[in-house]
Amino acid sequence: GESVGLHLPTLSVQEGDNSIINCAYSNSASDYFIWYKQESGKGPQFIIDIRSNMDKRQGQRVTVLLNKTVKHLSLQIAATQPGDSAVYFCAERVAGGSYIPTFGRGTSLIVHP
Amino acid sequence: ETGVTQTPRHLVMGMTNKKSLKCEQHLGHNAMYWYKQSAKKPLELMFVYSLEERVENNSVPSRFSPECPNSSHLFLHLHTLQPEDSALYLCASSQATNLNTEAFFGQGTRLTVV
């Protein structure tokens, strides 16, 4: 957990804007990254993942970018909606004997209508 | 629903009580995890079980005692907790600890120690 951190604890955006949530990691042996969304009162839910042999992956309204040179991960949400309001966590798995997800601090995304 | 069910959803217990948290998954996963989520802290990994064997214990105090009787069930036994143990306890499962796959989380148990 200590090797994964988020730059901003809170991000406020207007509905319809694009959102970018950032994540830094320090372990160069990490080879798999996942973004989770946690809504109030619920457990984290998978959004999108990316392996270290890729630098970009797109899903529905979400894009994850991986920059291994600077050990940086970002989640882009297009046309942000009020339902996107949640805490977003990045998790890394370190290559080796066990792949056990560790998490950063989380960014709270607030979408204003 | 993620396929991981935790009970109870809420628990209030005194410092001298003994209680247990339960987690159940029928996803066919072989790895199960307990995490603690406190305010303003990252998700903290507590225990990892792989094929019913504990493979990780992250310096968790002995007042927390996990049990994994089979690959579908995971318990967290609580005994003489402290108020600072109040938190959201999350269970998760994944296919295996040696695969690059996502973890599925339960809804959590909100624990309050009084």
Side-chain angles (χ1 to χ4, degrees), chain A:
Chain A
E2 291 298 319
S3 69
V4 180
L6 290 162
H7 295 314
L8 295 173
T10 303
L11 177 64
S12 292
V13 299
Q14 290 296 127
E15 182 178 359
D17 287 352
N18 295 333
S19 303
I20 300 176
I21 301 172
N22 296 305
C23 181
Y25 65 96
S26 59
N27 196 330
S28 57
S30 296
D31 64 354
Y32 178 60
F33 305 87
I34 310 174
W35 280 101
Y36 287 90
K37 171 186 180 183
Q38 186 175 20
E39 296 176 84
S40 180
K42 298 184 178 180
Q45 286 190 300
F46 170 87
I47 302 173
I48 191 167
D49 59 0
I50 188 167
R51 287 170 168 71
S52 58
N53 61 351
M54 304 170 68
D55 53 20
K56 180 179 180 179
R57 188 158 191 231
Q58 288 185 292
Q60 187 177 15
R61 284 200 307 117
V62 294
T63 301
V64 56
L65 299 177
L66 175 62
N67 186 332
K68 293 182 288 294
T69 302
V70 296
K71 299 189 186 70
H72 184 267
L73 192 69
S74 69
L75 177 71
Q76 300 179 0
I77 304 174
T80 314
Q81 301 168 1
D84 295 325
S85 294
V87 177
Y88 290 79
F89 294 94
C90 62
E92 63 178 326
R93 286 197 181 220
V94 179
S98 296
Y99 289 86
I100 297 171
T102 57
F103 290 82
R105 292 192 173 274
T107 292
S108 176
L109 176 65
I110 301 171
V111 182
H112 300 282

Side-chain angles (χ1 to χ4, degrees), chain B residues 51-113:
Chain B
L51 297 170
E52 300 152 44
E53 286 192 20
R54 191 189 312 180
V55 296
E56 181 123 350
N57 176 346
N58 267 8
S59 303
V60 180
S62 59
R63 56 187 186 269
F64 295 91
S65 175
E67 179 190 1
C68 188
N70 55 62
S71 59
S72 299
H73 294 87
L74 185 65
F75 295 89
L76 188 63
H77 303 301
L78 314 172
H79 175 51
T80 58
L81 295 192
Q82 305 299 311
E84 59 264 30
D85 296 322
S86 298
L88 181 67
Y89 289 84
L90 289 159
C91 172
S93 72
S94 67
Q95 281 187 296
T97 58
N98 62 349
L99 293 176
N100 273 346
T101 59
E102 70 197 85
F104 291 79
F105 283 82
Q107 302 285 48
T109 294
R110 173 68 63 186
L111 174 67
T112 304
V113 181

Side-chain angles (χ1 to χ4, degrees), chain B residues 5-33:
Chain B
T5 304
Q6 288 185 245
T7 54
R9 291 293 308 277
H10 301 272
L11 178 62
V12 179
M13 61 185 288
M15 289 188 283
T16 58
N17 291 160
K18 288 184 182 180
K19 296 287 184 183
S20 296
L21 310 185
K22 180 182 176 182
C23 178
E24 188 173 350
Q25 59 91 6
H26 295 289
L27 301 169
H29 290 168
N30 290 321
M32 296 188 77
Y33 311 81

